[in-house]
Amino acid sequence: GAVVSQHPSRVICKSGTSVKIECRSLDFQATTMFWYRQFPKKSLMLMATSNEGSKATYEQGVEKDKFLINHASLTLSTLTVTSAHPEDSSFYICSAGLASDTQYFGPGTRLTVL
Amino acid sequence: GDSVTQMEGPVTLSEEAFLTINCTYTATGYPSLFWYVQYPGEGLQLLLKATKADDKGSNKGFEATYRKETTSFHLEKGSVQVSDSAVYFCALRVQGGKLIFGQGTELSVKP
């Protein structure tokens, strides 16, 4: 089946620094990737839709200048959390869509901001 | 707006018990419906899906039927195993491919 990877799987950073998370579709090309945030014991919240070669579409309430998304190729999207603060600590998950409309999810990245 | 509501967890069952996790939705049009499962420490995996009314999705002994009249997509399994312990998410797909998730239901199956 379709495989989506994320790197790193977990990262700890100091407050004020920036962190980049990569999402790759390993065996298929994805024109659309999605970024979600999951809080403990909570559902996934869609942050943005990433389209290859164009600007990402952000959900209401998500700061686009804080969460920079780049979809450089059909197999890679990156999420950069800029000037991270402790409240940004969370589990970030990406997914990639196929033409069949099924989304395949990455294993997630645990971000801890000290 | 579009939304998904799941029964609250955690749900604790004994092995071989019958499982039902309720899911209802609100949406314009006729969205595709999904159940995803998240095992401890892992990412979400698609469990099953249904794309139109009266479709039944099934996988690994789980099944769910798309009921337009009750706007529901309840997940069922006749006999759960310890290995089914996980968090289950109901979701609907709206225009543009976005998924809207329910809050998740944690299932714990005891031997």
Side-chain angles (χ1 to χ4, degrees):
Chain A
V3 179
V4 176
S5 71
Q6 280 184 242
H7 178 80
S9 58
R10 58 178 64 233
V11 56
I12 301 172
C13 70
K14 293 182 178 180
S15 186
T17 60
S18 294
V19 174
K20 180 185 284 189
I21 302 170
E22 291 186 349
C23 176
R24 294 182 185 273
S25 55
L26 297 185
D27 50 3
F28 66 100
Q29 294 183 328
T31 54
T32 303
M33 291 184 174
F34 302 87
W35 286 96
Y36 297 83
R37 185 171 175 175
Q38 185 179 29
F39 295 94
K41 305 288 186 184
K42 298 284 187 181
S43 184
L44 281 75
M45 181 194 78
L46 178 65
M47 298 174 66
T49 302
S50 169
N51 297 295
E52 189 266 338
S54 63
K55 290 183 179 180
T57 302
Y58 290 82
E59 295 299 301
Q60 194 171 10
V62 177
E63 298 176 61
K64 62 181 180 182
D65 294 330
K66 180 167 188 60
F67 298 100
L68 301 178
I69 291 172
N70 182 268
H71 197 149
S73 73
L74 288 172
T75 59
L76 173 64
S77 176
T78 59
L79 167 68
T80 300
V81 182
T82 62
S83 187
H85 291 285
E87 57 266 30
D88 298 324
S89 298
S90 192
F91 196 54
Y92 292 88
I93 303 174
C94 73
S95 72
L98 285 177
S100 62
D101 106 320
T102 298
Q103 285 187 30
Y104 294 90
F105 285 78
T109 296
R110 171 77 57 196
L111 170 63
T112 302
V113 184
L114 302 177
Chain B
D2 301 322
S3 65
V4 176
T5 302
Q6 290 180 234
M7 64 184 286
E8 287 194 22
V11 174
T12 302
L13 296 174
S14 297
E15 207 164 21
E16 299 183 3
F18 184 86
L19 168 72
T20 299
I21 300 178
N22 290 337
C23 171
T24 57
Y25 67 90
T26 302
T28 53
Y30 303 101
S32 295
L33 301 174
F34 302 81
W35 277 100
Y36 282 86
V37 58
Q38 186 177 32
Y39 297 102
E42 298 184 16
L44 272 74
Q45 300 174 27
L46 177 66
L47 182 59
L48 53 85
K49 69 176 184 179
T51 58
K52 61 183 188 297
D54 299 326
D55 266 2
K56 177 186 283 189
S58 61
N59 185 27
K60 300 181 181 180
F62 291 89
E63 56 182 37
T65 302
Y66 190 143
R67 301 285 188 200
K68 186 164 71 76
E69 62 277 12
T70 54
T71 61
S72 65
F73 192 55
H74 305 321
L75 182 68
E76 297 182 335
K77 185 174 185 181
S79 176
V80 293
Q81 305 299 312
V82 173
S83 57
D84 294 326
S85 298
V87 181
Y88 293 81
F89 292 92
C90 184
L92 64 85
R93 179 180 182 270
V94 298
Q95 195 171 9
K98 296 192 299 186
L99 286 174
I100 296 174
F101 286 88
Q103 66 268 41
T105 302
E106 183 178 0
L107 170 66
S108 177
V109 181
K110 307 296 184 186

